[in-house]
Amino acid sequence: MPVDYVKALLKNANTDKLINNPKFKKTFESYQDEDSGEYSKLILKYLNLNIIIFRNERVLLTGSLHYYHNKGIHNYNDFTFIDLQKTIYEISKLVEVKISDIILLNIEFGVNLTPYFNPNYIINNLQLHRGKEFLKPYNFNYKVSKHQRFWIKVYNKGEQFKRPYNILRIELKYKKMIDLNKLGLYTFEDLVNPSIYNNLLKLLVAKWSESIVYDYSIKTDNLKPLLKNKTLQYQNQNYWLNLSNQERQRQKNKLRELSKDFGSNIQQEVKTIILLKWSSLFEKCILSNQSYKGLINIQKEFKRLIC
């Protein structure tokens, strides 16, 4: 499913009930309070979920909804909209907080793709996103471009989980909810309404399209010497970093033309695969009339974006 990791505030949570729930394993950790010094926080663990209770009785929920659906084991398979709905209501029941009172503070959403090509061909050729370089912080094929409000992450989930087939994960991590609040996303209740996913899909596709990705499929043997030399520059992250914003956009457009004329236009292919996967996660939905209208809007948006 598009939605994976969340950090949320549990409004009106009954801390006594949570602490006395035998499902939770209890641990204490210290934290630094900016105003009052060092305190301990109580962490209640169940599967991959953490319920964090602070001294002022503020209660947070953190963890992956996808992992939780799979009993805390993995998140490499398809996680459909129906799966997400069930998971949200299960967690709401577990913590005894209404879905409208589970307020999102951070969220990650994206798709697990199964492309015909090795995901590393894409990951190794990621250059920049909005002038920010893609970093490689881990020892597997994972890259991230970090912005103040959000990160864009692209990695080889098949390699991460040692799967025998290709899984390319593309996702956005929103560390601040300002932009998503403007789209109407505030709580778990909003996540069970399919209409919000039109806007999340637009964001994911837009951020992917903003990335600079060298197209490994460009057939350089067919290029004139000047263009062949240019492709070498396009594979160099420092080349892109040293360009002005205006020149970077001009060269990005030239790269896209080369990709269309002499390659398979791989960035556009990935966009199409994103759209197809996103649409498939909403199939076989049994929804209310309001939700059905939301699903129809997703399908309309899908047709618009894929053209």
Side-chain angles (χ1 to χ4, degrees):
M1 181 59 203
V3 178
D4 192 14
Y5 176 85
V6 296
K7 178 180 178 182
L9 174 69
L10 299 183
K11 185 180 175 184
N12 300 322
N14 187 320
T15 54
D16 289 335
K17 280 190 174 182
L18 288 171
I19 291 168
N20 293 318
N21 187 329
K23 284 188 175 181
F24 292 117
K25 179 182 176 182
K26 303 173 184 63
T27 61
F28 287 90
E29 291 183 9
S30 62
Y31 71 97
Q32 193 72 30
D33 185 282
E34 292 181 0
D35 299 320
S36 310
E38 187 174 290
Y39 289 105
S40 64
K41 57 189 176 186
L42 174 61
I43 300 178
L44 309 176
K45 295 179 179 287
Y46 178 64
L47 298 178
N48 68 294
L49 294 182
N50 290 328
I51 310 295
I52 307 168
I53 302 175
F54 293 89
R55 182 174 178 272
N56 61 3
E57 295 197 342
R58 186 167 63 107
V59 184
L60 298 183
L61 165 75
T62 67
S64 162
L65 304 185
H66 193 167
Y67 261 100
Y68 182 83
H69 176 72
N70 289 323
K71 309 303 180 188
I73 299 170
H74 68 82
N75 65 346
Y76 59 74
N77 65 336
D78 284 346
F79 183 41
T80 69
F81 181 65
I82 291 176
D83 295 332
L84 174 68
Q85 287 181 314
K86 289 178 180 176
T87 301
I88 283 174
Y89 285 113
E90 283 177 13
I91 292 173
S92 173
K93 184 178 179 180
L94 174 71
V95 300
E96 297 188 58
V97 176
K98 295 187 298 184
I99 60 173
S100 58
D101 284 340
I102 303 178
I103 301 165
L104 293 163
L105 303 176
N106 296 165
I107 190 170
E108 292 181 359
F109 61 91
V111 279
N112 294 340
L113 309 177
T114 52
Y116 64 88
F117 51 81
N118 186 328
N120 296 340
Y121 295 160
I122 291 291
I123 297 161
N124 293 339
N125 284 292
L126 290 166
Q127 305 299 323
L128 305 185
H129 181 269
R130 285 189 181 178
K132 294 270 191 177
E133 60 193 299
F134 277 94
L135 307 171
K136 190 176 185 297
Y138 302 120
N139 61 358
F140 71 100
N141 280 288
Y142 171 112
K143 283 192 177 178
V144 57
S145 181
K146 299 180 179 182
H147 299 270
Q148 185 178 13
R149 293 183 181 177
F150 73 92
W151 298 357
I152 177 169
K153 304 195 294 182
V154 185
Y155 58 100
N156 190 332
K157 191 176 281 288
E159 180 182 297
Q160 181 188 14
F161 285 97
K162 298 178 172 54
R163 295 293 90 196
Y165 50 89
N166 296 329
I167 307 176
L168 174 64
R169 176 73 179 179
I170 299 177
E171 71 181 11
L172 300 178
K173 175 177 183 176
Y174 272 82
K175 298 174 66 62
K176 297 185 179 180
M177 292 295 294
I178 298 168
D179 298 332
L180 299 184
N181 288 163
K182 291 176 183 177
L183 303 179
L185 181 57
Y186 293 91
T187 70
F188 266 28
E189 186 174 38
D190 300 316
L191 290 177
V192 300
N193 182 352
S195 61
I196 194 69
Y197 295 94
N198 299 332
N199 291 324
L200 297 187
L201 175 59
K202 288 180 190 177
L203 271 180
L204 185 63
V205 168
K207 298 290 188 276
W208 170 249
S209 298
E210 288 168 356
S211 302
I212 298 175
V213 188
Y214 178 74
D215 188 344
Y216 67 88
S217 71
I218 293 173
K219 297 177 176 61
T220 56
D221 291 344
N222 300 328
L223 298 178
K224 294 179 180 179
L226 283 177
L227 280 180
K228 186 178 290 189
N229 184 59
K230 203 69 183 175
T231 63
L232 294 176
Q233 290 181 310
Y234 289 156
Q235 296 174 63
N236 186 332
Q237 194 175 69
N238 288 328
Y239 166 78
W240 293 103
L241 284 169
N242 289 326
L243 297 177
S244 66
N245 290 339
Q246 184 176 3
E247 181 61 17
R248 187 182 299 124
Q249 186 58 49
R250 195 170 77 87
Q251 293 301 327
K252 182 180 175 183
N253 292 338
K254 285 188 173 184
L255 172 58
R256 287 186 173 175
E257 289 303 312
L258 275 176
S259 181
K260 290 176 186 176
D261 295 341
F262 298 96
S264 61
N265 199 6
I266 197 66
Q267 191 168 4
Q268 179 64 32
E269 281 193 30
V270 172
K271 172 185 168 182
T272 301
I273 298 170
I274 290 171
L275 292 163
L276 289 168
K277 171 60 75 170
W278 193 281
S279 179
S280 73
L281 296 173
F282 290 87
E283 291 176 357
K284 301 179 182 177
C285 291
I286 302 172
L287 306 165
S288 66
N289 288 335
Q290 181 180 359
S291 295
Y292 178 75
K293 290 177 182 177
L295 182 58
I296 293 300
N297 289 337
I298 288 172
Q299 292 168 340
K300 287 179 179 177
E301 184 63 21
F302 167 76
K303 290 177 181 177
R304 186 187 75 78
L305 287 171
I306 203 167
C307 296

